[in-house]
Amino acid sequence: MVQKSKTPAANPDAAAPKRRGRPRAYQPEIALGKALDLFRKDGFAATSLDDLSAATGMNRPSLYGAFGDKRELYIKSYARYRADARAAMIDIFSDELPIRRRLERIFAVALDIYLSGDAGPRGCFTVMTAASEAVSDPEICAMVQEGLSELDKAFTACFRLAKENGELPQTADSVVLARLASATIHSIAVRARARVPRKELEAIVKGAVDVMVRG
């Protein structure tokens, strides 16, 4: 009589295969960039959590875990926008070009930023959306004021150097000229969002620069 072979008993001490942790399905910096694009295009109130979820590819719990609530994500997006804009401008502001050439380059880069966007010109985050939220949110208000002051100071340094180099008369007021330059930046941002053609915006810039370099 043939005996049936017995199935060997399972070894309780055998190590079970380790489960790998679930990999992140998103990259935080990329997701933040997607949120930034959406807030910049539609503003805070018109952007829903569902919109943000669709844009970033993250569900609501994942969004909250990574960035906090919608307001926190908005603030982080605005901070990212300011950091990107600063990085785009810093070399031009620090490069000791003649004042006319430096201003022309600054405004050209600004137009590149404001006219960008797959769905049309997005303008400036500060002017088009953050300034509205600043009315009721002290933290955003402080960020906006800090950004405006930072821009004024950067332009002031440009005009002071131009005075030192003899490009502007000693009677020129560097602070007043800086505020005029900042106002021009804000004006072309609004007009860019309103889809004013680049040639018209460049004409505005040229007229403003002509006034400023005369001191």
Side-chain angles (χ1 to χ4, degrees), residues 13-204:
D13 296 326
K18 292 183 178 179
R19 289 186 178 181
R20 290 186 176 183
R22 187 177 181 180
R24 268 187 173 178
Y26 69 94
Q27 294 176 282
E29 285 304 306
I30 293 177
L32 186 59
K34 298 290 186 182
L36 163 59
D37 288 341
L38 198 58
F39 280 131
R40 189 176 167 192
K41 181 172 69 75
D42 296 337
F44 178 78
T47 301
S48 69
L49 286 172
D50 287 340
D51 294 332
L52 290 165
S53 180
T56 60
M58 300 167 63
N59 58 31
R60 289 192 184 193
S62 295
L63 275 174
Y64 188 85
F67 303 111
D69 61 19
K70 189 173 91 165
R71 175 183 171 276
E72 290 178 283
L73 179 53
Y74 180 86
I75 289 174
K76 288 172 182 175
S77 297
Y78 182 37
R80 163 76 175 271
Y81 171 82
R82 287 183 51 194
D84 289 349
R86 189 183 297 112
M89 292 284 197
I90 191 168
D91 288 341
I92 305 172
F93 271 108
S94 60
D95 194 356
E96 295 186 11
L97 294 168
I99 187 62
R100 177 182 286 277
R101 179 61 181 143
R102 192 194 301 216
L103 291 173
E104 288 172 348
R105 286 191 61 195
I106 290 169
F107 288 120
V109 171
L111 284 176
D112 288 341
I113 294 171
Y114 301 153
L115 292 170
S116 66
D118 296 335
R122 294 175 295 181
C124 172
F125 198 125
T126 297
V127 175
M128 304 311 303
T129 173
S132 298
E133 298 308 316
V135 174
S136 58
D137 192 306
E139 185 175 355
I140 296 174
C141 182
M143 292 177 71
V144 169
Q145 290 182 2
E146 180 184 38
L148 297 177
S149 176
E150 189 176 273
L151 184 62
D152 286 346
K153 288 176 181 177
F155 273 124
T156 298
C158 292
F159 289 115
R160 282 180 178 158
L161 180 62
K163 284 178 65 174
E164 292 172 7
N165 291 340
E167 296 179 78
L168 294 173
Q170 290 304 304
T171 54
D173 191 324
S174 300
V175 174
V176 171
L177 290 172
R179 288 174 178 167
L180 177 58
S182 292
T184 303
I185 284 277
H186 302 145
S187 177
I188 61 175
V190 173
R191 292 168 188 264
R193 182 63 180 261
R195 298 176 184 266
V196 172
R198 183 169 186 132
K199 285 188 176 180
E200 290 186 33
L201 299 175
E202 289 173 342
I204 292 170

